[in-house]
Amino acid sequence: MSFDAVAIRADFPIFDRKIRDGKRLVYLDSGATSQKPNVVIDAESNFYRLNNAAAHRGAHQLAEEATEAIESARRIVADFLGGKEDEIVFTKSSTEALNLLAYSIGSAPVGNKFHLNAGDEIVLSEMEHHANLIPWQQLAARTGAILKWFEVTPEGRLDLSNIDAVITSKTKIVSLTHQSNVLGTINPLDQLVKRSHEVGAVFILDACQSVPHMPVNVADLEIDFLAFSGHKAVGPTGVGVLWGRATLLAELPPFLFGGSMIESVTMTEATWAPAPRKFEPGVPNMAQIVGLGQALNYLSKIGMSVIHQHEIELTKYALGKLGEVDSLRIIGPLDTQMRGGAVSFTLGEIHPHDVGQFLDDAGIAVRTGHHCAWPLTRKMGVPATTRASFYLYNTTEDIDQLCESILAAQKYFG
Amino acid sequence: MQLDNLYQEVILDHYKNPQNKKLSPNYDAQVHHVNPSCGDEIDLNITIKDGTVAAITWNGVGCSISQASVSILTDLLIGKSVSDAYKIFDEFVALMQSKGTITGDEDLLEDAVALAGVSKYPARIKCALLGWMAFKDASVQAQSKG
């Protein structure tokens, strides 16, 4: 069956509503959050209607069903990523997943593989989202570790020319984005993962912008940890995933403490349940976890390669059409080689907020600002950008409307 | 077009020809304010003489709303007593928070009433207030210096 974005759109009820006085919704902000298909909305509400009980606790039928619902979602996530069930930790967001890593590593005692000494190095890049920057800044501040980073070239690619000087024998952690949420750049991981492991560092992948949009297999990538969020992958808000190699999760100390993450507790001390339970204290966001499972099933049924191909075609089309607009500057790679469907741009002297407001009046939803990657927008020499980001329900017609409205905005503010 | 309620002519005029947008070297207080969600930034210098706002100069980057709003502010508040300036400040903040339920006192706010449409766009209110909050901060600092 060939890919049909218009037919797919029918699965997403939000596209039935009108925007700003009866206009068709042109949703180009999936990089911020994706829309939800009926199967996800139904899975979430049906959990509350039919199966709601505290998972992993209780001796009654509902508790069994809730537990099974969550554990089957865990199997779905594991299969989706090419990992094992016990390697999937549910968090409330990918931000929490990355913070979990930073805090857990920071609390690793002497003798633990993850223990950081002053002078150990943490490697990032200039294109990181704040969620994969600030937790490491803070960890460095707490431990005396040193923050290093790869620079970004004017074309919006990682500058790996000095890879051996950035990742050194002192490097303990390398944490990089798979795909930039601003530039759309997909980073080449082979060389980075290989170098990280050569020096004994763990490699962490912020996959928020890649897992929802293309096939990502943790075994093929040979990475150590990966974080992504449900809500960018047509899943619910309030659920994120941390995948980690089983041997590493076993050694990593827990981050949050409380119910159901323990093995045994006395008044003075406690021991931990094995991973992933060790990292999941409290009653989890069950309905959201169940919804995420259905979201990934939905994407799998369509096929991640097909979705990625569709987005590459949209991106190619958008780069071509936007490239024809006078004084429009694309911030990021100008071709679709190793590039995903987030296209940021500036429009002459017109501020992105004004562009965004004008587009909104035409029913077009885009993101404006620094996209939680302030060091990157500074590096690219712009105070802010407008970003259009594409997903499986977008069409070339959406991009035509975007370009038309951009031309109208130039007239309005000119 | 609904958008015209937001982008009144006077706003676009101030945006294209901002008033007092050049930081003076002399001032009683200088502040730097940012809008962390969008990256808009403003530097604002203020001089207060004998209880009167003698000078406000500024520089910054931001959208038309934020830039026009601070330009209008300087036109409006320079030469006013600090107590009158605060009355105008309070009226403007109330207008911004009104969700479109009030139109603003034109005698008091003059050109600033053109920003009334902003109050219907929750995401833009902080744009309109950026320069005003910088003014309030700077004026308090200037007065506390005596």
Side-chain angles (χ1 to χ4, degrees):
Chain A
M1 198 186 76
S2 68
F3 188 87
D4 183 353
V6 176
I8 283 171
R9 201 181 279 165
D11 295 336
F12 293 73
I14 207 162
F15 291 110
D16 295 338
R17 68 160 289 180
K18 298 296 177 194
I19 293 293
R20 297 282 179 218
D21 297 332
K23 297 187 186 78
R24 181 176 86 85
L25 169 62
V26 178
Y27 189 75
L28 299 177
D29 198 19
S30 296
T33 195
S34 66
Q35 296 303 342
K36 321 300 175 200
N38 280 315
V39 285
V40 170
I41 298 168
D42 290 347
E44 220 180 325
S45 55
N46 282 341
F47 179 83
Y48 288 127
R49 285 200 183 91
L50 301 171
N51 315 114
N52 183 54
H56 305 130
R57 302 154 173 81
H60 50 82
Q61 183 179 347
L62 290 182
E64 281 172 15
E65 289 176 8
T67 304
E68 173 49 28
I70 285 185
E71 294 312 313
S72 84
R74 201 187 302 276
R75 282 192 289 279
I76 294 168
V77 177
D79 289 346
F80 193 82
L81 295 176
K84 300 187 197 84
E85 271 169 66
D86 288 350
E87 297 177 328
I88 303 297
V89 177
F90 288 117
T91 61
K92 75 172 160 63
S93 61
S94 52
T95 298
E96 186 184 270
L98 292 164
N99 273 278
L100 183 162
L101 286 174
Y103 273 98
S104 293
I105 290 171
S107 67
V110 176
N112 184 294
K113 172 185 172 59
F114 293 100
H115 179 72
L116 279 184
N117 289 306
D120 286 343
E121 293 173 356
I122 301 169
V123 171
L124 311 171
S125 84
E126 283 178 330
M127 64 168 81
E128 298 313 316
H129 187 283
H130 294 166
N132 193 32
L133 168 60
I134 305 171
W136 305 116
Q137 283 179 352
Q138 293 296 309
L139 177 62
R142 287 196 298 275
T143 58
I146 294 161
L147 218 56
K148 291 170 77 175
W149 56 87
F150 289 104
E151 295 197 19
V152 173
T153 67
E155 295 74 36
R157 302 283 183 187
L158 271 195
D159 179 0
L160 298 179
S161 59
N162 57 349
I163 183 170
D164 291 347
V166 176
I167 301 176
T168 71
S169 58
K170 287 182 179 168
T171 306
K172 287 292 185 66
I173 300 162
V174 177
S175 189
L176 295 171
T177 185
H178 199 182
Q179 179 185 316
S180 163
N181 67 315
V182 178
L183 307 166
T185 309
I186 297 171
N187 288 321
L189 298 182
D190 285 0
Q191 193 188 357
L192 287 158
V193 174
K194 188 166 162 258
R195 175 67 185 160
S196 301
H197 289 162
E198 249 170 38
V199 301
V202 292
F203 190 95
I204 300 165
L205 191 66
D206 171 359
C208 285
Q209 299 290 337
S210 60
V211 160
H213 299 283
M214 60 189 186
V216 173
N217 185 294
V218 292
D220 291 350
L221 294 174
E222 296 183 351
I223 55 178
D224 300 307
F225 294 99
L226 171 149
F228 80 95
S229 50
H231 72 96
K232 291 190 204 300
V234 310
T237 53
V239 57
V241 169
L242 171 69
W243 168 86
R245 276 179 197 274
T247 51
L248 296 177
L249 287 180
E251 180 140 15
L252 193 67
F255 160 47
L256 295 169
F257 303 88
S260 83
M261 52 80 70
I262 52 89
E263 177 189 60
S264 173
V265 183
T266 69
M267 279 312 291
T268 52
E269 56 190 19
T271 54
W272 319 132
R277 296 280 290 282
K278 169 169 80 166
F279 299 104
E280 293 181 352
V283 174
N285 288 356
M286 300 177 293
Q288 290 67 37
I289 290 170
V290 170
L292 174 61
Q294 288 313 304
L296 298 186
N297 274 350
Y298 176 84
L299 294 176
S300 294
K301 212 179 272 179
I302 295 168
M304 292 312 296
S305 298
V306 183
I307 291 170
H308 187 48
Q309 191 53 41
H310 173 65
E311 291 180 27
I312 288 175
E313 280 160 25
L314 288 179
T315 306
K316 195 173 187 178
Y317 187 78
L319 290 172
K321 284 211 74 160
L322 291 170
E324 290 167 9
V325 176
D326 267 353
S327 71
L328 186 148
R329 177 186 161 206
I330 288 164
I331 309 295
L334 298 176
D335 58 58
T336 53
Q337 190 67 30
M338 290 291 277
R339 188 197 205 295
V343 181
S344 290
F345 60 88
T346 58
L347 194 59
E349 293 298 306
I350 309 173
H351 194 275
H353 259 195
D354 294 320
V355 176
Q357 195 81 59
F358 190 91
L359 296 176
D360 166 64
D361 204 57
I364 303 168
V366 293
R367 174 83 184 263
T368 64
H370 51 59
H371 316 295
C372 298
W374 213 340
L376 175 61
T377 43
R378 282 206 186 93
K379 172 79 176 206
M380 301 310 281
V382 292
T385 67
T386 304
R387 181 188 70 187
S389 51
F390 313 129
Y391 209 1
L392 70 169
Y393 37 62
N394 290 119
T395 59
T396 51
E397 187 196 356
D398 293 342
I399 294 164
D400 288 339
Q401 257 180 268
L402 170 70
C403 291
E404 219 170 275
S405 287
I406 286 171
L407 294 176
Q410 283 184 317
K411 276 199 191 116
Y412 192 84
F413 293 106
Chain B
M1 201 184 212
Q2 200 183 14
L3 210 56
D4 294 337
N5 293 327
L6 178 62
Y7 293 112
Q8 305 259 332
E9 204 55 47
V10 60
I11 293 177
L12 295 177
D13 283 349
H14 272 277
Y15 175 49
K16 287 166 193 166
N17 300 297
Q19 304 299 299
N20 302 296
K21 190 178 178 180
K22 187 178 184 215
L23 285 172
S24 78
N26 308 310
Y27 51 84
D28 294 338
Q30 176 171 61
V31 296
H32 175 78
H33 278 217
V34 300
N35 184 339
S37 67
C38 61
D40 287 2
E41 299 188 47
I42 183 174
D43 292 297
L44 185 143
N45 292 354
I46 196 165
T47 305
I48 294 180
K49 261 193 200 125
D50 306 325
T52 297
V53 179
I56 306 171
T57 59
W58 64 284
N59 199 5
V61 289
C63 63
S64 60
I65 302 294
S66 76
Q67 302 289 288
S69 185
V70 63
S71 173
I72 290 169
L73 171 145
T74 62
D75 266 0
L76 195 55
L77 300 189
I78 294 170
K80 296 278 197 307
S81 71
V82 171
S83 64
D84 283 352
Y86 282 177
K87 262 184 221 147
I88 294 169
F89 174 90
D90 289 342
E91 176 75 13
F92 185 75
V93 172
L95 177 63
M96 287 302 103
Q97 291 168 348
S98 72
K99 298 184 173 151
T101 57
I102 57 173
T103 52
D105 181 346
E106 191 161 1
D107 291 338
L108 201 59
L109 292 178
E110 300 179 28
D111 276 0
V113 293
L115 288 153
V118 174
S119 70
K120 288 187 214 157
Y121 292 88
R124 303 305 293 278
I125 295 168
K126 60 190 183 324
C127 309
L129 287 177
L130 180 67
W132 292 72
M133 292 304 167
F135 156 76
K136 184 71 183 269
D137 184 11
S139 65
V140 169
Q141 288 187 31
Q143 292 176 93
S144 71
K145 271 169 131 184

